[in-house]
Amino acid sequence: MTSSFTDNSTECAICFEQFEGTETITLTFGHRWHTACVKQQLESAKPNTSQRLLFSGYRCALCKKICDHPDLHDLTRKTDELRERVDALVEEQLKADLPAAWEGARQDPDEKARLLDEGRRNYAFYLCGGCHEPYFGGTVECADEQQGELIESENKLCQACSPRTQEICQHPFEHGAYHVWKCRYCCNPATFLCYGNVHFCKPCHDRNPNVQAIPCRGGTCCTFPKPQGQINHSNGSSRENEQLYYCAWCESSSSRDAFAQNESTGSRNFIVNPSGEEGTRGWRSIMNSRGQSQMWQVENMEVRVDPHTQTNFVSSHTWASMMQTIPLHEYVRDPSSVQIEVSSKFMGRTDCPSSFRMEALVINSNGRVIHRVGTSKLSAPAGFWEKSTLTIDPVIGAHEVRMIVYGKDERFWSGNFGSKVCHCSIRVLCGEDEIGNILTGEGGYCSLM
């Protein structure tokens, strides 16, 4: 569509030379330029794989609209397509960062346009030097830090094309949201992605651009996964210091496969609301010796344990405790004859050490505890999920089973900075050929819970 606006300028606003006697071009919205000048501008603005995508060079210097004219389509066609793909990524990122606002804007075109414009201004995207597709690489606030751009002047690679991803993940393009990376400057799991492919934990991100590498303690002193054949991590500014710790999706699949091959099959999980999907429904807090109780809270899961779980329980600065009692006699024909597994997955934050403990109680029909087993006080692993399991052999008189989980942080920070827990489980272990004789109709069967 051609604009009715008439540009009466006598000189080109790019080179500031007169139009007279030279070839000019009038863009569809009315502004006039030297043809050679605008073509040179578009050539210079072509995206590259070493810096973030900036489409400002494709805009008119006077009105900031995208340059459009039939004679320029050969220069702008690919970039127009690229801008559309970036806009699709902006939408994906807004859905992840601002789910409520994005959902509310679906029926409001003006609000949706406002959010998209905000996303274009705040998010940084890069062109992958491997697949040549655009990808999200952090925020503009970080990307505009000069030092970060200078450090990362080499070609960018999206996480799926990184050789480190392909060593760990079976489907890197599909599983990107479930990757847990190491901080480039220390051993902590990363929570920030900046400059296209630099991963930071929060403390290192807060110190950037003056961050200094923290040497790995090595061996058993550092509990995070090491690169194959190495006893410590390499930390520093180089791309070689990047490492993918694990893929939650692949780990989940591998765990289920390993469980099916190496562990006894058994019942479904009897625990109600095992990861806080329904708030704290099904769980009760426990009074301490001073008559006080601190209940676990529920938060959205930051480090994914699998592709499906969205929430986890989180503790505070004093011991939080919660319990759930399972009426074993309703699910098992003879509760005294079965082996019981009580388990959960727990983790801590990278910036605040925390502790975790789990107990399992067997209770008889009179409400008396007849068997108790528990873990010691465990240090919650920083930034990744670890499984804790208690196995109870048959107990004569068993009627109910009670699971109790405890957690706290070790710095007494106000708020919910303590250990986290999910996938709480109580199940009966038995072979597939025994399931019909051991469980009632309420017990159910599932080999992979």
Side-chain angles (χ1 to χ4, degrees), residues 20-233:
E20 187 177 354
T22 59
E23 182 183 351
T24 64
I25 186 171
T26 301
L27 303 179
T28 54
F29 41 80
H31 285 135
R32 185 182 179 202
W33 306 91
H34 280 141
T35 303
C37 288
V38 76
K39 285 187 174 182
Q40 183 179 5
Q41 174 184 308
L42 295 175
E43 283 284 355
S44 301
K46 283 185 177 179
N48 62 68
T49 57
S50 64
Q51 295 187 351
R52 71 183 177 97
L53 290 171
L54 293 171
F55 299 112
S56 54
Y58 282 80
R59 297 183 181 276
C60 171
L62 295 175
C63 66
K64 305 307 179 185
K65 293 180 180 179
I66 295 292
C67 294
D68 183 34
H69 189 280
D71 291 346
L72 301 178
H73 285 178
D74 286 344
L75 290 171
T76 61
R77 184 181 297 108
K78 287 186 177 180
T79 304
D80 290 342
E81 295 171 356
L82 184 60
R83 285 191 299 108
E84 290 179 3
R85 299 205 296 276
V86 168
D87 275 352
L89 293 177
V90 171
E91 289 194 20
E92 289 183 15
Q93 202 63 36
L94 288 170
K95 290 175 186 176
D97 292 348
L98 304 170
W102 182 257
E103 183 64 25
R106 291 181 63 183
Q107 305 302 323
D108 185 343
D110 291 339
E111 178 62 11
K112 184 176 180 180
R114 187 192 70 79
L115 286 175
L116 281 170
D117 188 56
E118 182 179 324
R120 294 185 190 108
R121 292 197 310 270
N122 293 337
Y123 295 141
F125 296 91
Y126 296 82
L127 190 64
C128 175
C131 63
H132 297 286
E133 288 292 327
Y135 70 95
F136 174 73
T139 64
V140 169
E141 182 180 7
C142 283
D144 284 344
E145 291 283 352
Q146 185 182 22
Q147 183 176 354
E149 291 289 358
L150 290 175
I151 289 173
E152 286 300 301
S153 60
E154 70 264 24
N155 287 349
K156 310 289 185 182
L157 288 175
C158 68
Q159 295 187 35
C161 287
S162 167
R164 287 157 185 77
T165 305
Q166 296 168 0
E167 292 170 0
I168 301 296
C169 180
Q170 301 171 22
H171 304 285
F173 285 94
E174 295 85 352
H175 295 182
Y178 307 100
H179 293 164
V180 177
W181 286 81
K182 166 189 165 297
C183 173
R184 183 177 286 203
Y185 290 88
C186 72
C187 303
N188 286 330
T191 51
F192 290 87
L193 172 63
C194 304
Y195 315 129
N197 52 11
V198 182
H199 292 88
F200 291 97
C201 66
K202 188 177 188 305
C204 289
H205 184 268
D206 290 346
R207 292 194 296 271
N208 191 49
N210 300 313
V211 60
Q212 298 293 320
I214 300 174
C216 176
R217 293 179 296 169
T220 58
C221 293
C222 177
T223 59
F224 296 109
K226 314 292 192 305
Q228 187 173 4
Q230 298 185 24
I231 61 172
N232 57 12
H233 298 103

